[in-house]
Amino acid sequence: MTGTATSYLYLARHGEATPDESGLTDAGRRQATLLGRRLSDLPLTAVHHGPLPRAAQTARLVADELEGVTPHVSEIAGDYVPHIPERQELPAEAADFYLDFLAGATDEEREHGPALARAALRRFTGVVTDGDQDRHELVVTHNFLIAWLVRDALHAPKWRWLGLNHCNAALTVIRYAPGRAASVLLSNDMRHLPAELRWTGFPPELHV
């Protein structure tokens, strides 16, 4: 689609959640506030978030650090499985692992998740087509959706959302400029977090 201006999509995983996922831990709240402070100098025009409490609370704390932006709840920014691959889509050496990981998905999840994922691509990605001003939007969401959108920006196969991990309150930025392929400017960036708040939500064996 022909575009007239550049769109910047900021993606952040929610802050660290309590064990029952009813909200954020003290660390998660600090993460969210620090993320908001990092974003406070940007010309954000929208903050979208998923409906689950951990995402909603993160978005509110981020928005508290911003000027003139009210968080907006969106089902397409929620926590869902964006694509369930068939075995033939997957690398042979990884197929069993990924299929086992996804085996518990219900029939409803298998149908509803991909529909939401397609809607997320339509809403959140691509250049600006309705004006000549650059657009800056934040989506506070969950690991699966961030991975799905990064995969799309890289023109990777649909199954490749699997294996991409993002820490709590880490920042990923994708740029969509007219006449160019999408660019992943930042991925899983945690420079706004002190050492003790980094790597939460990330598999322990992958901490660096």
Side-chain angles (χ1 to χ4, degrees):
M1 180 179 294
T2 301
T4 55
T6 297
S7 175
Y8 293 87
L9 179 64
Y10 301 82
L11 300 167
R13 189 179 179 186
H14 58 81
E16 182 184 59
T18 58
D20 64 359
E21 299 185 341
S22 61
L24 300 180
T25 63
D26 288 342
R29 289 189 288 274
R30 288 178 61 203
Q31 289 170 330
T33 296
L34 291 170
L35 174 63
R37 290 175 184 171
R38 176 171 180 182
L39 297 170
S40 62
D41 291 332
L42 296 172
L44 290 170
T45 56
V47 175
H48 309 274
H49 65 84
L52 295 179
R54 56 193 186 274
Q57 187 174 354
T58 300
R60 286 195 299 271
L61 289 167
V62 168
D64 285 346
E65 304 298 321
L66 308 177
E67 291 289 337
V69 182
T70 301
H72 168 71
V73 64
S74 173
E75 187 180 14
I76 62 174
D79 191 17
Y80 51 85
V81 177
H83 173 72
I84 297 182
E86 300 292 337
R87 177 176 290 274
Q88 61 267 24
E89 295 177 61
L90 297 166
E93 68 276 13
D96 287 342
F97 175 82
Y98 287 133
L99 292 174
D100 287 346
F101 174 71
L102 296 168
T106 65
D107 289 343
E108 193 275 338
E109 289 173 324
R110 290 171 183 270
E111 179 178 355
H112 196 47
L116 290 172
R118 292 190 295 271
L121 290 176
R122 291 192 297 270
R123 173 57 185 86
F124 297 134
T125 71
V127 298
V128 176
T129 59
D130 57 357
D132 58 2
Q133 297 295 311
D134 290 350
R135 182 175 63 213
H136 298 257
E137 295 189 324
L138 169 67
V139 179
V140 178
T141 183
H142 304 265
N143 188 59
F144 289 178
L145 181 58
I146 298 173
W148 174 250
L149 295 172
V150 169
R151 171 219 65 81
D152 178 75
L154 297 175
H155 295 275
K158 289 183 178 180
W159 71 267
R160 201 59 185 90
W161 70 271
L162 291 160
L164 298 178
N165 294 283
H166 300 85
C167 295
N168 295 124
L171 183 63
T172 294
V173 183
I174 304 173
R175 179 180 64 190
Y176 303 92
R180 305 163 102 181
S183 300
V184 179
L185 303 182
L186 289 176
S187 181
N188 200 42
D189 191 291
M190 294 174 281
R191 74 184 77 177
H192 51 286
L193 302 176
E196 68 271 16
L197 294 182
R198 297 179 181 180
W199 300 110
T200 64
F202 209 69
E205 68 273 15
L206 298 181
H207 292 190
V208 297

